[in-house]
Amino acid sequence: MDRTAQYDTVIIGGGPAGLTAALTLTRYRHRTLVVESPASPRNAASRGVHGLIGLEGATPGELRSRAWEELDRYGLATRLDAAVGEITPLPGDGFTVRTDDGTSAWARNVILATGVIDQHPDGVEGFAACWGRTVIHCPFCIGEENADRTWALVSDDPHHLGLAATAFRAWTGDAIAIAPLSLPGADGLREQGGDLVQGQIVRLHHTDGDLHTVELADGTLLKRQTLLWPQPQRQVPLIERLAKDHGLALDDDGYVTVDDSRQTSIPGLYAAGDLTGRTWEQGVVPAVAAGAAAADAIHFAHLA
């Protein structure tokens, strides 16, 4: 095993969680490697992050650029643009991290900050162009940027659909629900006062990602400007391999389980960011907090 490259901590992922962990560990004078995938990040479509004091509206690219300017002042964090193919726990002696291009490093601790993969619907024309702009996954993230527009909540969950009539009044006075034809309890939802349309979405009519009409399979056209359409998520392949090969614990919904210190079921392996929480628990502020918490836990564990 080649141990010429050794670090106190290797962080997998260069988003808000990973970069916050890197800055926190750097200020604790830990030597850190941040491995960022060269693939386009999950939040590439975002026009700006929100709720992060001092950086309101900064684009994901601007946030990363500023973070590395700050990290480079200290000279203790190294950036590697590569995809991690394997993380191997070593009994009582840290981890070996290997990238797909053959780079290998040893670290006493590893922080997983890989995010998750949104599984977009097949066969919906216009979805990709609108995603992250007028087709949104979370009203708390970019509801304000879609305020005073006509909304539709797209879901197959009766409980969520029941929220359409009231839950989004902060941003819109005109919200309907769109559900599959097979949805059970549709009549009950209508009796609650919600406007429910049933059918399969096949096309989103838009102008440069600005939605204006939703088309259903039966030809129905709905004049809507914003869709709240949470997507199913799955873990990146690295996390799936860790679960399969090394017993990394996932919860019933497939998210990585962590304790109060952000440590996973594998000692010395921590996780922060969207890979540990469902859609309504995700966002830049929770990710930043989790990254800092993981870094704190690693540092104070060294003092024990």
Side-chain angles (χ1 to χ4, degrees), residues 266-290:
I266 300 174
L269 182 65
Y270 294 76
D274 293 352
L275 76 165
T276 68
R278 296 153 191 80
T279 300
W280 59 89
E281 300 170 329
Q282 297 174 2
V284 63
V285 175
V288 164

Side-chain angles (χ1 to χ4, degrees), residues 161-302:
L161 291 167
L163 301 174
T166 59
F168 313 120
R169 287 178 177 169
W171 302 284
T172 179
D174 185 348
I176 67 171
I178 301 176
L181 291 169
S182 59
L183 178 76
D187 291 340
L189 286 172
R190 291 189 177 93
E191 290 172 1
Q192 295 176 27
D195 189 353
L196 175 67
V197 178
Q198 290 182 264
Q200 179 185 355
I201 296 174
V202 295
R203 185 179 181 187
L204 302 180
H205 299 261
H206 65 93
T207 303
D208 296 329
D210 189 3
L211 177 69
H212 57 79
T213 306
V214 177
E215 182 176 342
L216 304 183
D218 64 2
T220 298
L221 298 177
L222 304 172
K223 295 295 184 181
R224 294 288 107 179
Q225 296 171 302
T226 295
L227 294 187
L228 174 56
W229 195 353
Q231 299 301 304
Q233 298 175 336
R234 67 177 178 86
Q235 298 290 349
V236 302
L238 174 65
I239 304 302
E240 294 174 342
R241 287 194 294 272
L242 282 168
K244 178 182 177 183
D245 298 338
H246 299 291
L248 177 68
L250 308 179
D251 67 19
D252 291 341
D253 294 313
Y255 294 95
V256 177
T257 61
V258 293
D259 62 18
D260 291 342
S261 71
R262 311 302 301 180
Q263 187 167 220
T264 71
S265 60
I266 300 174
L269 182 65
Y270 294 76
D274 293 352
L275 76 165
T276 68
R278 296 153 191 80
T279 300
W280 59 89
E281 300 170 329
Q282 297 174 2
V284 63
V285 175
V288 164
D296 286 344
I298 287 171
H299 178 68
F300 289 111
H302 290 179

Side-chain angles (χ1 to χ4, degrees), residues 105-167:
W106 176 87
R108 183 174 291 108
N109 298 104
V110 171
I111 298 176
L112 302 171
T114 58
V116 291
I117 297 172
D118 293 306
Q119 297 179 273
H120 295 171
D122 294 327
V124 179
E125 183 180 345
F127 182 92
C130 297
W131 176 248
R133 297 182 59 184
T134 54
V135 176
I136 65 177
H137 75 291
C138 168
F140 307 109
C141 299
I142 50 176
E144 175 62 24
E145 285 61 46
N146 283 269
D148 303 319
R149 295 164 61 91
T150 56
W151 284 34
L153 169 61
V154 183
S155 178
D156 58 4
D157 184 326
H159 173 70
H160 291 162
L161 291 167
L163 301 174
T166 59

